């Protein structure tokens, strides 16, 4: 069971942070184009789900499974979007994404007086805490 990568987007479509652990194949396009493609896909899926939903769903998009990976999605009330790609054998990671947001991102990015909203996250402490947490997960 493997975590491939993590994207963190703000509400303005900017990729604030990207980290890969065991990505097996490159996208074949520049990283910035990959970020735009991922954000566009998430935006389109959210729109499709909201339009086709029979009932009002609180969660909306939480992820999908493809033939060789699973995408997990978590959006905060403030508009931050966390996208994690994993092996297909990994179950629901909503609690993991919530923990990354509440205990790591908020603590080491949002509350960081040096960090500027909307700019790429360059905090080494954030990266270290995130790596530690990911390495300690039981499904990793």
């Amino acid at each position: 069971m493997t975590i491939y990568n993590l994207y963190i987007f703000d509400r303005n479509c900017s990729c604030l942070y990207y980290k890969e652990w065991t990505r097996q194949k490159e996208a074949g396009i520049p990283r910035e184009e990959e970020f735009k493609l991922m954000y566009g896909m998430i935006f389109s899926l959210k729109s499709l789900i909201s339009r086709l939903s029979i009932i009002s769903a609180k969660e909306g998009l939480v992820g999908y499974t493809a033939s060789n990976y699973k995408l997990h999605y978590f959006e905060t009330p403030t508009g931050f979007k966390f996208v994690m790609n994993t092996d297909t054998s990994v179950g629901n990671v909503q609690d993991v994404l919530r923990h990354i947001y509440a205990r790591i991102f908020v603590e080491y990015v949002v509350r960081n007086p040096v960090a500027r909203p909307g700019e790429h996250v360059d905090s080494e402490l954030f990266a270290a805490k995130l790596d530690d947490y990911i390495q300690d997960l039981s499904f990793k």
Side-chain angles (χ1 to χ4, degrees):
M1 295 189 241
T2 307
I3 296 175
Y4 298 131
N5 55 15
L6 173 73
Y7 302 83
I8 301 175
F9 295 98
D10 68 5
R11 64 178 157 249
N12 300 319
C13 313
S14 297
C15 186
L16 301 178
Y17 186 78
Y18 174 77
K19 173 73 177 182
E20 59 187 48
W21 287 276
T22 54
R23 185 172 180 166
Q24 297 171 348
K25 181 183 178 220
E26 288 300 316
I29 58 176
R31 191 72 69 190
E32 288 300 318
E33 291 299 317
E34 178 183 338
F35 297 158
K36 290 176 187 176
L37 187 63
M38 178 61 73
Y39 190 91
M41 181 187 65
I42 295 297
F43 181 84
S44 296
L45 284 173
K46 281 180 51 181
S47 177
L48 178 70
I49 289 168
S50 71
R51 292 182 201 295
L52 296 180
S53 180
I54 299 169
I55 58 173
S56 177
K58 285 183 181 179
E59 292 287 327
L61 175 65
V62 292
Y64 69 83
T65 303
S67 60
N68 53 3
Y69 75 96
K70 199 177 217 182
L71 181 138
H72 308 269
Y73 177 76
F74 172 69
E75 184 171 351
T76 70
T78 55
F80 290 108
K81 295 155 185 65
F82 291 73
V83 180
M84 179 180 280
N85 290 309
T86 67
D87 174 293
T88 56
S89 63
V90 174
N92 187 337
V93 297
Q94 288 297 300
D95 290 337
V96 169
L97 293 174
R98 281 187 187 96
H99 180 89
I100 291 170
Y101 168 67
R103 303 281 185 214
I104 302 172
F105 187 76
V106 168
E107 197 65 36
Y108 299 101
V109 176
V110 174
R111 292 184 181 166
N112 183 348
V114 179
R116 295 185 189 143
E119 287 192 4
H120 185 76
V121 176
D122 289 326
S123 171
E124 291 178 19
L125 186 56
F126 169 74
K129 294 293 183 181
L130 178 63
D131 277 341
D132 290 346
Y133 179 68
I134 295 297
Q135 297 301 326
D136 289 343
L137 290 174
S138 62
F139 60 82
K140 176 87 169 107

